[in-house]
Amino acid sequence: MFNLDKIVRPNIKKLKAYSSARDEFKGTAEVYLDANENPFGDLNRYPDPKQIKIKKRLSEIKKVAENQIFIGNGSDEVIDLAFRIFCEPSKDKAVTFSPTYGMYDVSAGINDVELIKQPLLHDFQINLNQLQPYLDMEDVKIIFICSPNNPTGNCFDDETIEYILENFNGIVLIDEAYIDFSSRASYSTKLEKYPNLIVSQTFSKAWGLAGVRVGAAYANRQVIDLYNKVKPPYNVSALNQEAVLKSLGNLDEFEINKNSIINEKETLINELKKIDFVKNIYPSEANFILIEVINANIIYNKLVSEKIIIRNRTTLIDNCLRITVGKSEENRKLIKTLANLTGF
Ligand SMILES: *Cc1c(COP(=O)(O)O)cnc(C)c1O
């Protein structure tokens, strides 16, 4: 049985959260002389530490209660805080899969936590047989599942994910950075069923706000309370909160841009099929396409010399390149340049 109390680090359990001036007084006053702020200027006040307006809006859109939402300084903060809440440095472990998003490894390293990387199968699905022993290990505290997975572009089988959620007594953090491009439903609708689930999403991809640095986590209230306790009090700036609220107020634009990217992806795939050194185009539920080519390093470098930058992933998956779907004219420029490449 999952028991949150058993897997939280003792020092975090004991920790008393920083209480800001705005935490103690709720409501609107006429005179604020409580936080040593400067009375002059437009950005002179500390931002809302609880990001109430964003949570209200997200709660309506995602059908998740406000107290089941955490707002972070990018989803990188969601990942980092998970290590800090649940993993005792140089003792506890976490598990993820390979190839996947590189930040789990970096964040584990910073927090002095061993990250076990299980190779994915040939179709980039999870090898449940190999994972099985880790599900019962007491010092394994978190399993990171990136679905749709970066850089492979596929979603993992729901049966596998649900099996892990049901049979692992630690935290299952599902990173849904690309979920809006996918045909799958978000796991944020399954919080009631799984007390050990954290779903991480971001404003950096489908919402077009990578420059803003805002991410969100959805989990049960007890887990969100831990996040709130550990986070820096003012982790999301007033400017960032404003930018997110503005985007959340324009769902039409969100849909239009997202659909345009999805359509462009189909066009790009069709064009890539015509290029003879492209050996394989992996199915993608994200806003990028992983392709296998005859020689990734040569093609990558030739594109760089044409001032076109894609991501060379050959060290992770032999001769694979990851292409982010751009604007129509950008994608056309890429295709035109690729079609003109010769000499290998
Ligand atoms: C891009 C990406 C993110 C986004 O991180 P932010 O800190 O929110 O910008 C998270 N997870 C994965 C797998 C990504 O590819």
Side-chain angles (χ1 to χ4, degrees), residues 41-94:
D42 299 324
L43 288 166
N44 57 325
R45 299 295 178 188
Y46 280 104
D48 173 9
K50 301 242 170 79
Q51 306 99 18
I52 299 288
K53 287 182 184 161
I54 295 178
K55 287 178 188 169
K56 266 211 163 75
R57 190 76 187 102
L58 274 182
S59 168
E60 294 163 4
I61 295 171
K62 305 281 177 178
K63 314 277 183 259
V64 171
E66 282 167 52
N67 61 20
Q68 295 177 316
I69 305 175
F70 165 79
I71 306 297
N73 182 11
S75 42
D76 288 347
E77 188 175 32
V78 173
I79 296 163
D80 177 62
L81 292 187
F83 281 114
R84 292 211 243 166
I85 294 167
F86 299 108
C87 297
E88 211 48 58
S90 77
K91 175 175 168 284
D92 289 332
K93 300 180 175 66

Side-chain angles (χ1 to χ4, degrees), residues 76 79-80 83 96 100-115 117 144 311:
D76 288 347
I79 296 163
D80 177 62
F83 281 114
T96 193
T100 194
Y101 185 43
M103 267 316 282
Y104 313 135
D105 212 9
V106 174
S107 204
I110 292 168
N111 287 289
D112 197 11
V113 172
E114 185 190 337
L115 184 69
K117 283 161 279 183
F144 291 92
R311 193 87 154 113

Side-chain angles (χ1 to χ4, degrees), residues 73-76 101 104 146 150 175 177-178 202 204-205 213-215:
N73 182 11
S75 42
D76 288 347
Y101 185 43
Y104 313 135
C146 184
N150 177 6
D175 185 339
Y178 300 97
T202 178
S204 298
K205 307 286 156 62
R213 310 304 307 132
V214 177

Side-chain angles (χ1 to χ4, degrees), residues 23 43 48 80 102 108 198 207 220 249 266 300 321:
D23 278 328
L43 288 166
D48 173 9
D80 177 62
I198 299 175
W207 289 95
N220 279 292
E266 290 315 312
Y300 175 78
L321 299 165

Side-chain angles (χ1 to χ4, degrees), residues 13-287:
K13 234 187 288 183
K14 270 198 303 218
L15 180 75
K16 207 172 165 311
Y18 176 78
S19 178
S20 71
R22 301 292 137 77
D23 278 328
E24 283 168 26
F25 171 78
K26 293 184 181 72
T28 0
E30 275 176 27
V31 178
Y32 285 104
L33 301 173
D34 57 341
N36 298 348
E37 295 153 333
N38 189 314
F40 307 108
D42 299 324
L43 288 166
N44 57 325
R45 299 295 178 188
Y46 280 104
D48 173 9
K50 301 242 170 79
Q51 306 99 18
I52 299 288
K53 287 182 184 161
I54 295 178
K55 287 178 188 169
K56 266 211 163 75
R57 190 76 187 102
L58 274 182
S59 168
E60 294 163 4
I61 295 171
K62 305 281 177 178
K63 314 277 183 259
V64 171
E66 282 167 52
N67 61 20
Q68 295 177 316
I69 305 175
F70 165 79
I71 306 297
N73 182 11
S75 42
D76 288 347
E77 188 175 32
V78 173
I79 296 163
D80 177 62
L81 292 187
F83 281 114
R84 292 211 243 166
I85 294 167
F86 299 108
C87 297
E88 211 48 58
S90 77
K91 175 175 168 284
D92 289 332
K93 300 180 175 66
V95 171
T96 193
F97 305 93
S98 177
T100 194
Y101 185 43
M103 267 316 282
Y104 313 135
D105 212 9
V106 174
S107 204
I110 292 168
N111 287 289
D112 197 11
V113 172
E114 185 190 337
L115 184 69
I116 295 149
K117 283 161 279 183
Q118 284 256 303
L120 293 171
L121 295 165
H122 279 301
D123 58 357
F124 298 140
Q125 288 294 324
I126 291 170
N127 186 337
L128 208 43
N129 285 337
Q130 262 186 39
L131 180 68
Q132 188 65 49
Y134 294 104
L135 298 181
D136 300 321
M137 286 184 192
E138 284 224 336
D139 55 358
V140 173
K141 295 294 176 72
I142 311 172
I143 298 179
F144 291 92
I145 301 177
C146 184
S147 187
N149 188 36
N150 177 6
T152 58
N154 61 300
C155 288
F156 296 119
D157 290 338
D158 283 320
E159 283 147 51
T160 307
I161 294 179
E162 304 219 5
Y163 180 89
I164 296 169
L165 280 162
E166 276 162 23
N167 292 282
F168 177 56
N169 288 331
I171 293 291
V172 180
L173 196 155
I174 305 184
D175 185 339
E176 295 187 338
Y178 300 97
I179 193 70
D180 294 305
F181 300 108
S182 150
S183 54
R184 306 288 186 91
S186 165
Y187 272 83
S188 60
T189 58
K190 304 205 169 175
L191 296 179
E192 307 307 326
K193 198 167 169 195
Y194 301 117
N196 56 342
L197 169 63
I198 299 175
V199 175
S200 161
Q201 295 184 359
T202 178
F203 284 89
S204 298
K205 307 286 156 62
W207 289 95
L209 294 176
V212 165
R213 310 304 307 132
V214 177
Y218 305 97
N220 279 292
R221 189 193 171 154
Q222 292 73 15
V223 172
I224 296 298
D225 287 348
L226 290 166
Y227 266 85
N228 286 332
K229 197 155 109 166
V230 172
K231 80 181 183 77
Y234 303 107
N235 61 329
V236 183
S237 82
L239 290 171
N240 296 358
Q241 293 193 41
E242 238 172 73
V244 165
L245 276 171
K246 192 165 159 243
S247 262
L248 287 172
N250 197 343
L251 293 184
D252 288 344
E253 191 181 320
F254 167 79
E255 284 296 326
I256 289 168
N257 289 344
K258 182 190 77 178
N259 289 329
S260 147
I261 292 166
I262 292 171
N263 290 335
E264 273 300 317
K265 179 172 73 177
E266 290 315 312
T267 310
L268 197 48
I269 288 170
N270 286 332
E271 294 300 319
L272 286 166
K273 280 181 187 161
K274 298 177 195 161
I275 294 173
D276 57 7
F277 58 76
V278 176
K279 285 169 64 184
N280 197 358
I281 303 167
Y282 289 96
S284 164
E285 302 230 26
N287 65 332

